[in-house]
Amino acid sequence: MGKRYRSVSGTVFDMFNYVFLAGFAVCAIIPFVYVISGSFATDVELTQRSFFLIPKTFSINAYTFIFSTDTIIRSIGVSMYVTTVGTIVNLFFTVTMAYPLARRSLMGRNTILNLVVFSMLFGGGMIPTYLVVRELGLLDSYWALILPGAISAFNLIIVKNFFQELPPGLEEAARIDGCTELGLLWRIVLPLSKPVLATFALFYAVGHWNNFFSALLYINDPAKWPLQVMLRQIVLLSQAAAGNMNEMDPNFVQPPEQSIKMAVIVVGTVPILLVYPFLQKHFAKGVMIGSIKG
Amino acid sequence: MRYLTTGSKTRIPNEQRQVFRTSAFGRLKRDKWMYLLLMPGILYFIIFKYVPMWGILLAFKNYQPFTGFWKSEWVGLEHFQVFFQNPDFYNLLRNTLVLSFYNLVFFFPTPIILALLLNEIRLALFKRTVQTLIYVPHFISMVIVASISYVFLTTEGGVINELLFQYTGQKINFLGSPEWFRPMIILQTIWKESGWGTIIFLAALSGVDVEQYEAATVDGARRWRQLWHITLPAVRSTIVILLILRMGDILENGFEQIYLMQNALNREVSEVFDTYVYIMGITQGAFSYSTAVGLFKAIVGVILVLSANYLAKRFGQSGIY
């Protein structure tokens, strides 16, 4: 930033600035800290101390309780399955479409690109899309959570722009060495794009893990609900048994509703917090690649 | 700055142009593998983006599950007439617009302000730490955001209400009262997205030439003047582009968030076009009617984006097209 004019008002501003931003950052993560510590606190502590960031008592009753039936476990399984398969589908569809579109010489390229951009601007909406999914017989199938979002037009354009920026000399050289068109993509372009693909894999994966809307629309069978829908049932609607008292030790103290809810929230959040360091390493760069020129 | 760069307009040198003079068939043959690769993507866009656009015709038909799409009778603009004459319409319009307006006034500026403040921080470690922390909520699902809000705000043991009760002896029903609904939604949005929103502005700011600040300092410009004459102009085009994009969302409030925070007690202010389409269409089965509502929403969105874009260009800013 170079040297700036130093003044009293400048120093006051700096101090305010540091305090304000630190405060904002703390506000961003305090809810998580509270929910995590609350989920481990005992019933007594939760009712006696209204706010705490470090619990004095420790109990895993809430977790024992929610994992006593397979409701939560099953929905975690659904979410993991959809996230894994869905991300692979996303990457396959995005890369196979972005790569040809990165070729300036491809006939019809601009028409396809314009149609893609138009689909970002205007869409059929909730009901026509629902009817298409229904007509395809995908209701109550995990494919309904995967196929309708197979490509994000925005990500597609960013990946396409990235491919376009790769040095053309590399492809020429590979071609002269006798590399086939598909070999070029597989052996030259994809290895060079690992960081970008990792970024978008993580973005797509987070999207699948967090997806609530598609499941609400397309999955009616409670046995097939992913974790986000289960979360809503338990925390927001206070429905769906998250645990079973009958399966418990007779001495087991039933955890209060509040700590069960917190434990369920933690279960839904932890995977994101675990991948966050990897995400964070890439995303700022990944989002910017190709999206901004200037 | 270009936001969505699509077709490139670069001129192709003459010697390369020779290559492209081959016949259309020759080019198809040359690129056959490329077209094969395009197939899955194109199929995706046709089936899940363009067929639903075709499905919009339902808005002008009377869709009956047993007769199906093709044989349903045409009813013209009947669904639109019913919708506009419905007293619900004004309520929906008001709720939607008020929420969008609050978002524009209270949420839209926060990432800009945060980015400007972060840009003034010279302690790199502090800046990085703050950034790392404020991005986190963006990756959390809306269900978790709503769940955390419930756990904090409920009158039955929620932290905020417990603290309120200790100090004032009263509790406030944040979750089930019409007057708290809008502030709650806006605060959630600010908490979840304003940190993430700084990325794009910080990128624009990092492109500013340091020499400009040095020159300004030599000319005697203090921090506020530098902010006004160097820093703000640097993010102006980004602000304009994001404003244009936002215009298209004026009738969309984000279905998940509103739907999750909605309940019988706050419905008079929380029912918006997005939730109305879902309730009328999916839960009550009025497919044609809610397609008409959705179409109305989408068309207004496109008109707003295009006119905002036009205006931006009139006033010498680069638009998105």
Side-chain angles (χ1 to χ4, degrees), chain A residues 91-273:
Chain A
L91 285 184
F92 176 78
F93 274 67
T94 307
V95 166
T96 52
M97 193 171 188
Y99 181 64
L101 290 179
R103 296 227 169 151
R104 297 217 162 96
S105 62
L106 193 81
M107 202 170 58
R109 168 183 184 265
N110 280 335
T111 318
I112 299 174
L113 279 172
N114 284 333
L115 288 173
V116 169
V117 173
F118 181 71
S119 81
M120 294 167 82
L121 199 66
F122 183 80
M126 192 189 290
I127 305 300
T129 313
Y130 172 84
L131 289 175
V132 168
V133 173
R134 203 183 69 172
E135 290 305 306
L136 291 172
L138 294 178
L139 288 191
D140 270 336
S141 136
Y142 297 133
W143 288 109
L145 307 181
I146 293 170
L147 290 178
I151 300 180
S152 136
F154 192 80
N155 294 355
L156 174 75
I157 288 170
I158 296 177
V159 174
K160 183 221 85 178
N161 285 353
F162 177 82
F163 286 159
Q164 221 161 273
E165 309 278 295
L166 289 175
L170 275 172
E171 297 194 15
E172 305 266 314
R175 247 190 224 121
I176 289 167
D177 289 346
C179 197
T180 58
E181 290 288 332
L182 294 182
L184 205 64
L185 171 64
W186 188 250
R187 293 207 216 138
I188 311 286
V189 175
L190 286 186
L192 283 173
S193 320
K194 265 186 203 152
V196 184
L197 297 181
T199 312
F200 284 101
L202 282 168
F203 275 126
Y204 277 128
V206 170
H208 282 296
W209 184 263
N210 285 344
N211 186 9
F212 164 74
F213 181 62
S214 315
L216 177 76
L217 272 180
Y218 306 129
I219 308 286
N220 293 316
D221 179 0
K224 291 179 178 166
W225 276 342
L227 187 59
Q228 302 297 333
V229 180
M230 206 50 91
L231 264 169
R232 168 170 177 256
Q233 296 293 319
I234 295 167
V235 184
L236 306 187
L237 304 179
S238 297
Q239 283 170 6
N244 187 353
M245 273 316 283
N246 301 329
E247 285 180 16
M248 294 290 169
D249 193 281
N251 299 321
F252 185 83
V253 185
Q254 170 151 19
E257 209 190 345
Q258 193 79 341
S259 70
I260 294 173
K261 290 182 174 180
M262 288 181 185
V264 182
I265 295 175
V266 172
V267 170
T269 318
V270 158
I272 300 286
L273 296 183

Side-chain angles (χ1 to χ4, degrees), chain B residues 19-68:
Chain B
V19 183
F20 302 138
R21 282 231 183 97
T22 40
S23 68
F25 182 72
R27 288 171 69 184
L28 275 174
K29 207 175 149 193
R30 185 195 64 195
D31 288 333
K32 58 179 185 294
W33 288 108
M34 294 298 108
Y35 291 106
L36 191 73
L37 281 182
L38 272 175
M39 285 329 287
I42 288 182
L43 273 178
Y44 165 77
F45 275 96
I46 291 174
I47 296 175
F48 291 106
K49 298 288 172 188
Y50 281 86
V51 172
M53 284 187 209
W54 180 253
I56 281 173
L57 289 179
L58 279 184
F60 309 97
K61 286 186 162 203
N62 211 350
Y63 180 79
Q64 300 295 333
F66 296 108
T67 42

Side-chain angles (χ1 to χ4, degrees), chain B residues 215-235:
Chain B
T217 313
V218 173
D219 289 344
R222 292 201 189 185
R223 274 179 113 158
W224 290 111
R225 299 227 94 189
Q226 294 184 3
L227 177 77
W228 190 251
H229 291 291
I230 303 170
T231 316
L232 269 182
V235 289

Side-chain angles (χ1 to χ4, degrees), chain B residues 285-298:
Chain B
F287 288 129
S288 284
Y289 177 69
S290 43
T291 304
V293 178
L295 178 60
F296 162 75
K297 196 175 63 119

